[in-house]
């Protein structure tokens, strides 16, 4: 499955709709020790509007935003204390 | 036969007296939130639930009243009131006692300020910008039941521009708003605020987002998403809308003032109802009074003297709506 967390803590959420994309991001972040990072790939549009805001709202920190060749976005999120 | 004439007159006078007494009682009942039903002697008891917020013991009491004095039904009104239908007027005293025991009372009907409605606001809704519940409770405490002299007067509070509580359809509606401001030194140019803005009011110009002052509708989404807190709230407050109504001939309200404080909201409620009392005609709603007198008259008499940040022109209002049947 492309959406499993790999060795590099990457979660590919392309094609995953709101709010499931956030639920999976949240679960993955909660698995991580505080301060570790998780990369998620999100479709543009609704997911990019919602997931970053939810992450911030729950105390995580978005370190980097990179546009991908296919128009999706890769976010690097540092796990905060939740 | 001639002997009967005085008796008949006395009887008529008695009947008239009774009828007047009864009508007066019914009016009182109505002002007190007992709404006459189609069925003889039966009323719907409308309970006072400002902002639709209830304590568990109130709900338990409503359930008990519905079972004991109603027909086991409870209706939720479109304005957040809990209503118990099919209550016989002979039980009003008992119902009153049950309500008093949990410090509860009935709502109002008729030509007066109704129970204000409100969303959850910023207390637990992620979109909320302002504390709708607190202000709703305050406005209810200060103005509930105020006579308008003309018709009903509905007030509602929405915590953000999504406006779940339909402030455009209220006699007076208040909606939360926030003006963002960028601290350029903190901004890392990630562009998430641009992605988060549904109004397309933000565009990247080089490394920094630039805000289109005409498009921005003060929803605060950019502040909520900014990961480095570079987009901050310069100020927040309440957008005031006046003259909306639903019913057979709906009117959409005018935006008349923005970024109001809680105290300014209360002043606007007070002065607006004073203006309506003096300038309304018959059973028209304030929206009709404003149409008749012209919005300028209302602005001149109410908004400007209060020293608020007035919304004066159609161009200034345009950011808040998209068009439709109700607009020219």
């Amino acid at each position: 499955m492309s959406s499993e967390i790999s060795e590099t803590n990457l979660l590919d959420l392309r094609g995953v709709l709101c709010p499931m994309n956030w639920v999976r991001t949240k679960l993955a972040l909660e698995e991580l020790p505080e301060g570790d990072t998780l990369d998620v790939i999100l479709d543009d549009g609704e997911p990019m509007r919602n997931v970053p805001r939810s992450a911030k709202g729950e105390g995580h920190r978005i370190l980097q935003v990179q546009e991908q060749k296919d128009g999706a976005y890769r976010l690097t999120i540092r796990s905060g204390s939740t | 036969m001639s002997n009967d004439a005085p008796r008949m007159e006395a009887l008529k006078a008695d009947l008239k007296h009774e009828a007047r007494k009864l009508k007066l009682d019914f009016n009182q009942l109505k002002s007190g939130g007992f709404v006459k039903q189609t069925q003889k002697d039966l009323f719907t008891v409308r309970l006072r639930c400002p902002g639709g917020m209830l304590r568990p013991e109130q709900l338990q009491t409503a359930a008990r009243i519905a079972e004991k004095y109603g027909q086991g039904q409870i209706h939720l009104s479109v304005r957040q009131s809990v209503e118990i239908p099919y209550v016989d007027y002979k039980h009003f005293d008992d119902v009153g006692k049950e309500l008093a025991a949990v410090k509860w009372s009935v709502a109002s009907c008729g030509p007066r300020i109704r129970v204000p409605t409100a969303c959850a606001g910023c207390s637990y809704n992620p979109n909320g910008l302002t504390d709708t519940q607190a202000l709703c409770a305050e406005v209810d405490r200060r103005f509930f039941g105020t006579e308008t002299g003309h018709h009903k007067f509905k007030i509602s509070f929405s915590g953000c521009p999504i406006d779940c509580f339909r402030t455009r359809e209220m006699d007076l509606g208040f909606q939360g708003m926030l003006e963002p401001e960028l601290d350029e030194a903190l901004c890392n140019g990630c562009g998430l605020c641009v992605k988060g803005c549904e109004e397309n009011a933000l565009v990247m110009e080089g490394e920094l987002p630039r805000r289109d002052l005409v498009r921005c509708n003060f929803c605060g989404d950019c502040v909520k998403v900014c990961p480095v807190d570079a987009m901050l709230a310069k100020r927040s407050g309440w957008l005031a809308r006046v003259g909306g109504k639903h019913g057979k001939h709906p009117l959409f309200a005018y935006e008349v003032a923005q970024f109001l404080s809680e105290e300014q909201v209360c002043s606007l409620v007070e002065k607006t109802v004073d203006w309506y009392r003096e300038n309304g005609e018959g059973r028209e709603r304030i929206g009709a009074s404003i149409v008749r007198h012209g919005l300028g008259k209302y602005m001149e008499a109410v908004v400007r003297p209060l020293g608020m940040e007035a919304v004066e022109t159609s161009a200034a209002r345009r950011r808040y709506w998209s068009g439709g049947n109700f607009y020219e």
Side-chain angles (χ1 to χ4, degrees):
Chain A
M1 273 292 288
S2 62
S3 59
E4 293 303 309
I5 302 174
S6 73
E7 292 294 313
T8 55
N9 294 335
L10 172 68
L11 202 52
D12 185 349
L13 297 171
R14 279 175 292 194
V16 181
L17 301 178
C18 303
M20 280 316 290
N21 45 20
W22 166 240
V23 171
R24 292 167 85 158
T25 303
K26 181 182 159 72
L27 288 173
L29 284 165
E30 281 169 2
E31 292 287 302
L32 294 177
E34 192 181 326
D36 275 19
T37 61
L38 169 76
D39 277 22
V40 294
I41 302 179
L42 297 170
D43 290 320
D44 196 10
E46 201 78 349
M48 275 298 282
R49 201 151 47 228
N50 296 332
V51 175
R53 181 170 147 179
S54 301
K56 183 191 176 188
E58 297 207 3
H60 307 291
R61 175 99 184 225
I62 293 159
L63 301 177
Q64 204 174 36
V65 182
Q66 294 168 282
E67 189 169 0
Q68 307 293 287
K69 283 191 196 110
D70 63 352
Y73 285 83
R74 181 172 179 143
L75 304 185
T76 304
I77 310 172
R78 189 177 69 203
S79 168
S81 52
T82 50
Chain B
M1 285 300 273
S2 60
N3 284 353
D4 285 343
R7 223 163 48 120
M8 284 301 285
E9 283 309 308
L11 198 63
K12 266 188 201 164
D14 267 4
L15 276 172
K16 223 176 197 173
H17 183 64
E18 282 299 314
R20 203 179 299 131
K21 223 170 68 183
L22 204 64
K23 200 175 165 202
L24 206 72
D25 285 346
F26 278 154
N27 280 338
Q28 249 169 13
L29 294 175
K30 217 184 163 203
S31 77
F34 296 90
V35 189
K36 178 101 185 67
Q37 289 189 192
T38 316
Q39 295 83 0
K40 185 176 179 291
D41 296 343
L42 297 184
F43 288 76
T44 296
V45 180
R46 180 180 291 166
L47 299 167
R48 185 174 172 185
C49 316
M53 201 54 88
L54 293 168
R55 286 171 280 118
E57 65 266 31
Q58 289 176 307
L59 268 186
Q60 283 157 357
T61 298
R64 197 168 53 243
I65 292 171
E67 282 175 345
K68 267 165 86 173
Y69 306 110
Q71 290 184 1
Q73 290 180 6
I74 290 180
H75 177 249
L76 300 177
S77 86
V78 74
R79 298 199 79 245
Q80 300 184 304
S81 287
V82 168
E83 297 179 334
I84 307 169
Y86 301 104
V87 176
D88 192 298
Y89 75 94
K90 290 182 211 75
H91 293 132
F92 285 172
D93 274 355
D94 303 315
V95 169
K97 278 178 202 148
E98 297 241 10
L99 293 174
V102 290
K103 297 189 170 63
W104 206 4
S105 59
V106 293
S108 71
C109 307
R112 45 189 68 78
I113 296 186
R114 303 295 180 83
V115 182
T117 53
C119 68
C122 66
S123 47
Y124 58 87
N125 184 304
N127 291 313
L129 301 172
T130 44
D131 195 345
T132 53
Q133 286 291 327
L135 187 54
C136 178
E138 177 66 8
V139 165
D140 178 66
R141 194 182 63 75
R142 280 162 74 162
F143 300 107
F144 168 74
T146 304
E147 300 270 348
T148 66
H150 302 287
H151 209 326
K152 63 180 84 170
F153 199 94
K154 296 179 177 178
I155 301 175
S156 176
F157 299 90
S158 287
C160 75
I162 298 170
D163 196 26
C164 295
F165 276 72
R166 314 287 194 267
T167 60
R168 290 170 178 85
E169 296 174 13
M170 300 296 141
D171 295 283
L172 257 179
F174 297 98
Q175 175 218 290
M177 64 194 308
L178 179 155
E179 183 173 20
E181 185 176 46
L182 182 70
D183 184 334
E184 295 186 1
L186 291 177
C187 179
N188 65 4
C190 74
L192 283 177
C193 55
V194 175
K195 291 285 169 203
C197 180
E198 290 182 303
E199 305 302 312
N200 296 319
L202 289 169
V203 283
M204 289 306 281
E205 247 183 29
E207 290 298 296
L208 295 173
R210 188 179 53 80
R211 188 164 63 100
D212 182 332
L213 299 176
V214 175
R215 281 175 182 265
C216 176
N217 71 349
F218 307 113
C219 71
D221 282 354
C222 52
V223 173
K224 295 199 177 200
V225 75
C226 179
V228 292
D229 293 331
M231 197 67 91
L232 296 165
K234 185 180 177 187
R235 55 179 179 154
S236 62
W238 299 91
L239 174 67
R241 296 190 161 103
V242 181
K245 69 190 272 294
H246 206 72
K248 290 175 182 168
H249 301 276
L251 289 169
F252 255 20
Y254 292 104
E255 288 79 14
V256 293
Q258 58 189 10
F259 293 106
L260 304 185
S261 67
E262 276 71 17
E263 205 40 56
Q264 284 177 313
V265 164
C266 290
S267 309
L268 190 65
V269 172
E270 191 182 349
K271 294 283 176 241
T272 299
V273 173
D274 285 348
W275 183 87
Y276 176 40
R277 204 178 288 116
E278 283 165 30
N279 296 280
E281 231 173 50
R283 267 174 53 81
E284 72 183 2
R285 296 277 287 274
I286 190 173
S289 314
I290 288 173
V291 168
R292 223 161 28 77
H293 290 277
L295 182 61
K297 290 273 191 244
Y298 169 83
M299 297 298 289
E300 188 184 302
V302 178
V303 178
R304 286 180 211 135
L306 287 169
M308 297 168 168
E309 182 174 329
V311 180
E312 296 274 9
T313 62
S314 302
R317 291 182 187 109
R318 184 160 276 277
R319 75 173 78 229
Y320 300 115
W321 53 271
S322 307
N325 272 341
F326 301 108
Y327 296 109
E328 290 109 31

